[in-house]
Amino acid sequence: MKVKIIILCITLIFSEVAFTQMILNRDTSLIFNENGVQFTSALAGGINSGQFSNIDLNLDGTMDLLIFDKSGDKVLPFINDNGSFIYTPKYRKNFPNMHDWAILSDYNCDGKNDIFTYSSAGMAVYQNTSNTKLEFTLINSLVMSNYGFNNSNIYISPVDIPAITDVDYDGDLDILTFSILGGFVEYHKNLSMEIYGNCDSLIFELSESCWGLFYEGLNSYVLNCPNCQCPQITNNSILNNKQKHAGSTILAIDIDNDNDKDLILGDVSYNNLSLLINGGDNQNAIIIHVDSIFPQNNNTTTGVEINYFPAAYYLDITNDGINDLIATTNSENNSENFASCWLYENLGQNTLPNFDFIKTNFLQENMIDLGTSAFPTFYDYNNDGLKDLIIGNYGYFIPNNDPISSLALFENTGNDSIPEFTLIDRDWLNISTINLNTNLNIPALNLSPTFGDLNGDNDKDLIIGDADGKIHLFTNTGNGNFQLSNANYQNIDIGQFAHPQLIDVNRDGVTDLIIGEQDGTINYLPNSGSINNAIFDTIITNWGGIDVDQSFINTGFSTPELYDSSGVYQLFSGSFSGSIYQFKNIENNLNGQFTEVNSTASNIWDGGKSAITIYDINNNDKADMIIGNLSGGIAYFSSNSLINDTTITSNIINNIPKTFNVFPNPSKNNFIIQSKYNGIVNIYNMIGKLVFTTIKKQEKFEISDTNLKKGIYLIEFNRQQQKIIIR
């Protein structure tokens, strides 16, 4: 099957003079502070439902920290610096794509923690194959177990957290997970030691269908269950409520130093962690006691109380060689989102812990974390010539109530070339107290801000989009003050989750509107009024033919940013998936179809529900990007320029040697490189992976049978003293 290969541009790089494609690079150097205290991991991106594991990231022999945030499926690596954890994003690229849950544990006893993660109603395993650098190799895309009648995948729900630990103390890793049928724990025994005498294999059989002889009901436990194939429970209320498993988290540790595994359970129906004491042994487990306010009874006065679906993790946080307890939520959006990492220091031993409550916002206190979602934009609120950062959010979690949505004000307290941002107000303008939802007479949710002059007074006014698809006008009254002029401004309603931008789209001198929405499309509202009186009486839907929805269920959540790059508009958009889309062919084509450059601009990704703003932060005439994400945090990407197709094409054409050519372009799998020079040809995909290499030995050299999939590729031609790159 022939595929279409597109070659976009040609760049020539000499050894003496370099001309390269400009890209954005993740940058953690921006300084943020609050109340005089600097955020040490300001740009880590927030945490909503973090899953904690130890791993040696830099291969120095010291265990570091990895957080997998289920909210957005993002990886947060932290280097252990003498007991302090420093966000180090460069290690993110070393991890495979993971989703729903990820547990790190050493299955082959080589001293390196491997990855267990969700896959197709079960789990996949990536072996830690690090040698000189951190890397992982997929060894099992779906782990199987012998159920007695056949081999089948070990069922693990995407909303569960299984226990992956040595249950029978024979030296290999076993699995405890809840049955698909309900509140019974299955024990899948690893036979690696029994068969091979070592721990380097993953060979499982269902050893017990009701490990511990207990049943977890909707709001209670049944202990000492007879005959425990376990569905034979006589309690009619439990039988009537029994249904397909809804969600539980399991941590299996020896908490009473009797050489068997006890359980710490979280459940979708509970707001607490329960400790289940094993009164049997490591061969025959029997749960005999339940502590429902754990760890309050373990010498601390503060039991875990995560509002919705708690989970527990046992690892060394305090750098003393003894595992501590982390409690988080396993919910993506219905629980704590600002103080969701509860830390308990272990003052005892690993097999006889004594937990002392420390804080509810471990690591979150050191980063920008605005609850759920972050929608950044720049605006000079105090007219000092420095752009400040205004960030809206979906909201901060409030138990038994709607979230509190607000605008956070970060004042630029640095200078033109070295910006520094100080958090002045988490609820700027007291937006959270204003009843913008006029239907219910309550504050609105999901506040997305943008600024532009709508009345010709040379002061930028504030427009806020909300979750109901409405927008609201706050008029600038001078001196950094804003007054609500119109809730439900001009009765504009684009559906759901309005994300607006004020900008002169058609370059007629008046400010227009573009608005992203939940279905992934973008709306264009040209201003038919005047400089002094904006009128938005026309909505052009599906503007440019853009749709960033990858699920086909209206969950694109487009967040457009139209950017003027040297007189040429480029359009970027965040999305629910987190991908950053880039479009061109906008000028003089406002009623046509825009051209998608790519859906992973500069390979930038920072978690789900991305929202971007572009501005020259450090005043070097080169644009930078701030990205907000689902976890309520932000990331910063600096650049020596943003990609400008017109400029790059012009500069590149002037430097193409007449002795070099690639044709046809686009091609269908086969193409020719023509040059009087010979050398090495490398082909890379858009994430930088080498997918094909060969040696050019003649002037007209045909490349065929590459088995490339449809897409855009980077072709690198190396010869002595120069490198030619074709994208």
Side-chain angles (χ1 to χ4, degrees):
M1 178 180 178
K2 293 186 176 182
V3 297
K4 189 175 184 180
I5 302 170
I6 301 175
I7 302 170
L8 292 179
C9 59
I10 301 175
T11 304
L12 177 63
I13 303 175
F14 291 95
S15 57
E16 297 87 0
V17 179
F19 184 90
T20 62
Q21 181 188 354
M22 309 302 180
I23 61 173
L24 294 163
N25 297 297
R26 186 182 295 272
D27 193 331
T28 59
S29 65
L30 275 185
I31 296 174
F32 289 79
N33 59 76
E34 182 180 17
N35 298 323
V37 179
Q38 183 175 332
F39 292 100
T40 56
S41 297
L43 300 168
I47 304 171
N48 275 10
S49 48
Q51 301 169 12
F52 289 71
S53 297
N54 281 135
I55 187 171
D56 187 0
L57 294 168
N58 54 0
L59 310 183
D60 66 349
T62 299
M63 280 297 185
D64 307 300
L65 181 62
L66 182 81
I67 301 174
F68 175 74
D69 193 346
K70 181 175 184 172
S71 181
D73 292 333
K74 67 177 181 177
V75 170
L76 301 177
F78 289 82
I79 289 292
N80 186 341
D81 183 15
N82 295 318
S84 298
F85 292 101
I86 308 301
Y87 177 58
T88 314
K90 70 178 183 179
Y91 294 105
R92 292 176 53 158
K93 67 180 185 300
N94 298 82
F95 288 87
N97 291 330
M98 302 178 290
H99 57 97
D100 293 299
W101 56 263
I103 297 171
L104 274 60
S105 190
D106 181 11
Y107 86 88
N108 57 355
C109 304
D110 63 353
K112 297 180 288 190
N113 278 350
D114 311 294
I115 298 174
F116 297 78
T117 186
Y118 177 77
S119 173
S120 303
M123 68 178 178
V125 181
Y126 292 83
Q127 182 182 344
N128 187 336
T129 52
S130 305
N131 187 7
T132 58
K133 66 175 183 178
L134 182 68
E135 57 185 356
F136 299 90
T137 301
L138 177 65
I139 64 163
N140 205 326
S141 58
L142 196 60
V143 177
M144 311 295 283
S145 182
N146 187 343
Y147 279 77
F149 50 90
N150 63 9
N151 280 343
S152 182
N153 66 288
I154 300 175
Y155 172 81
I156 303 175
S157 165
V159 298
D160 280 2
I161 302 289
I164 302 173
T165 184
D166 186 4
V167 175
D168 55 4
Y169 288 75
D170 67 348
D172 54 24
L173 289 182
D174 311 298
I175 298 170
L176 295 174
T177 184
F178 273 91
S179 164
I180 190 174
L181 297 176
F184 312 105
V185 171
E186 294 181 349
Y187 167 35
H188 294 269
K189 176 180 172 61
N190 192 345
L191 302 178
S192 181
M193 292 298 297
E194 283 79 3
I195 296 175
Y196 300 112
N198 55 56
C199 60
D200 63 356
S201 299
L202 297 169
I203 306 171
F204 294 96
E205 68 173 13
L206 178 61
S207 179
E208 296 179 39
S209 60
C210 190
W211 185 89
L213 304 182
F214 77 97
Y215 173 83
E216 183 193 46
L218 292 177
N219 51 25
S220 63
Y221 292 91
V222 177
L223 305 184
N224 196 23
C225 218
N227 301 321
C228 264
Q229 296 299 320
C230 271
Q232 298 150 0
I233 298 179
T234 58
N235 188 321
N236 289 330
S237 65
I238 294 177
L239 280 173
N240 292 335
N241 288 324
K242 197 176 75 172
Q243 54 189 308
K244 188 174 180 178
H245 181 63
S248 295
T249 63
I250 306 176
L251 173 64
I253 64 174
D254 183 6
I255 205 164
D256 51 8
N257 198 29
D258 62 353
N259 203 43
D260 59 33
K261 298 298 185 185
D262 310 291
L263 299 185
I264 299 171
L265 297 185
D267 188 88
V268 70
S269 304
Y270 306 158
N271 62 2
N272 60 290
L273 290 174
S274 295
L275 170 63
L276 280 65
I277 296 295
N278 184 356
D281 54 41
N282 57 41
Q283 301 298 318
N284 298 284
I286 305 174
I287 301 301
I288 62 171
H289 175 71
V290 178
D291 176 6
S292 61
I293 50 176
F294 177 81
Q296 182 170 321
N297 292 348
N298 276 52
N299 200 31
T300 181
T301 58
T302 305
V304 171
E305 191 167 354
I306 302 289
N307 188 264
Y308 185 74
F309 204 177
Y313 304 91
Y314 199 50
L315 67 164
D316 186 9
I317 297 295
T318 55
N319 218 41
D320 59 0
I322 300 173
N323 288 339
D324 308 292
L325 183 71
I326 294 283
T328 67
T329 175
N330 197 42
S331 170
E332 296 183 62
N333 47 33
N334 294 316
S335 191
E336 281 81 357
N337 51 29
F338 176 60
S340 59
C341 301
W342 291 40
L343 171 61
Y344 292 81
E345 182 180 0
N346 185 357
L347 303 179
Q349 302 298 319
N350 284 333
T351 57
L352 194 64
N354 178 14
F355 296 116
D356 183 40
F357 173 72
I358 303 298
K359 63 183 67 175
T360 63
N361 58 348
F362 172 62
L363 293 181
Q364 292 172 297
E365 61 186 338
N366 296 319
M367 63 181 70
I368 306 301
D369 192 332
L370 304 176
T372 294
S373 295
F375 309 108
T377 191
F378 284 99
Y379 168 67
D380 183 7
Y381 95 102
N382 55 359
N383 296 312
D384 64 353
L386 301 175
K387 290 286 188 180
D388 310 295
L389 191 58
I390 313 296
I391 307 177
N393 67 355
Y394 178 81
Y396 296 101
F397 174 77
I398 303 295
N400 304 316
N401 211 330
D402 289 332
I404 293 180
S405 301
S406 61
L407 303 181
L409 167 62
F410 291 83
E411 180 184 347
N412 188 344
T413 52
N415 55 50
D416 280 342
S417 58
I418 307 177
E420 181 175 328
F421 295 93
T422 299
L423 179 54
I424 302 298
D425 195 343
R426 288 183 179 267
D427 190 12
W428 184 53
L429 305 178
N430 295 315
I431 296 291
S432 71
T433 66
I434 302 174
N435 293 334
L436 296 177
N437 186 330
T438 55
N439 290 331
L440 301 177
N441 199 34
I442 59 174
L445 291 174
N446 202 80
L447 305 182
S448 297
T450 183
F451 295 85
D453 186 6
L454 294 173
N455 55 13
D457 63 356
N458 294 318
D459 287 327
K460 290 190 174 182
D461 307 297
L462 168 64
I463 288 283
I464 299 176
D466 72 12
D468 291 330
K470 310 291 198 306
I471 63 173
H472 313 282
L473 172 63
F474 289 77
T475 301
N476 192 331
T477 59
N479 299 318
N481 297 314
F482 290 83
Q483 181 177 351
L484 176 63
S485 298
N486 195 332
N488 301 333
Y489 177 57
Q490 298 194 19
N491 294 316
I492 294 170
D493 186 350
I494 55 88
Q496 288 183 299
F497 291 91
H499 185 93
Q501 183 190 12
L502 288 166
I503 187 170
D504 184 3
V505 176
N506 53 14
R507 302 188 187 273
D508 64 352
V510 296
T511 302
D512 307 303
L513 256 174
I514 58 174
I515 308 176
E517 62 171 300
Q518 179 177 315
D519 70 2
T521 62
I522 297 173
N523 304 273
Y524 169 39
L525 291 78
N527 187 346
S528 62
S530 64
I531 294 177
N532 300 320
N533 183 31
I535 299 175
F536 303 104
D537 53 3
T538 300
I539 299 181
I540 300 171
T541 61
N542 198 27
W543 186 49
I546 293 171
D547 188 352
V548 300
D549 184 16
Q550 297 182 352
S551 65
F552 307 103
I553 55 173
N554 293 330
T555 55
F557 289 91
S558 56
T559 54
E561 177 83 353
L562 190 63
Y563 177 71
D564 190 337
S565 181
S566 302
V568 178
Y569 275 138
Q570 294 187 74
L571 181 63
F572 295 81
S573 179
S575 63
F576 181 80
S577 69
S579 296
I580 307 297
Y581 290 76
Q582 180 185 0
F583 301 88
K584 65 178 183 178
N585 193 28
I586 298 162
E587 300 286 345
N588 303 313
N589 187 36
L590 298 182
N591 295 317
Q593 301 288 300
F594 303 154
T595 302
E596 182 179 321
V597 179
N598 58 59
S599 61
T600 54
S602 294
N603 294 322
I604 293 170
W605 189 87
D606 200 62
K609 280 187 99 171
S610 52
I612 66 175
T613 186
I614 299 170
Y615 181 70
D616 178 12
I617 296 176
N618 52 12
N619 199 35
N620 64 352
D621 296 323
K622 297 164 185 176
D624 310 290
M625 183 181 289
I626 295 284
I627 302 179
N629 63 47
L630 181 60
S631 297
I634 59 173
Y636 167 48
F637 291 83
S638 62
S639 176
N640 53 355
S641 177
L642 267 182
I643 300 171
N644 182 314
D645 292 314
T646 302
T647 302
I648 286 180
T649 301
S650 174
N651 290 337
I652 290 169
I653 290 175
N654 291 333
N655 288 281
I656 294 177
K658 295 180 180 180
T659 56
F660 180 83
N661 195 15
V662 174
F663 60 91
N665 180 21
S667 75
K668 292 184 177 180
N669 205 36
N670 297 0
F671 56 91
I672 294 172
I673 294 180
Q674 183 177 14
S675 175
K676 67 180 182 179
Y677 303 110
N678 294 328
I680 299 172
V681 177
N682 295 322
I683 301 180
Y684 300 86
N685 62 20
M686 294 305 295
I687 62 173
K689 181 180 180 181
L690 180 66
V691 294
F692 181 81
T693 185
T694 188
I695 299 175
K696 180 183 178 297
K697 299 179 179 180
Q698 55 194 29
E699 182 171 342
K700 281 189 176 181
F701 185 75
E702 183 176 4
I703 295 180
S704 61
D705 299 322
T706 59
N707 294 318
L708 298 178
K709 298 179 179 179
K710 180 180 178 180
I712 301 172
Y713 292 85
L714 185 77
I715 302 175
E716 178 186 85
F717 175 40
N718 293 279
R719 72 175 184 90
Q720 190 177 7
Q721 294 185 329
Q722 75 179 43
K723 179 193 300 179
I724 299 171
I725 298 177
I726 308 141
R727 188 172 178 233

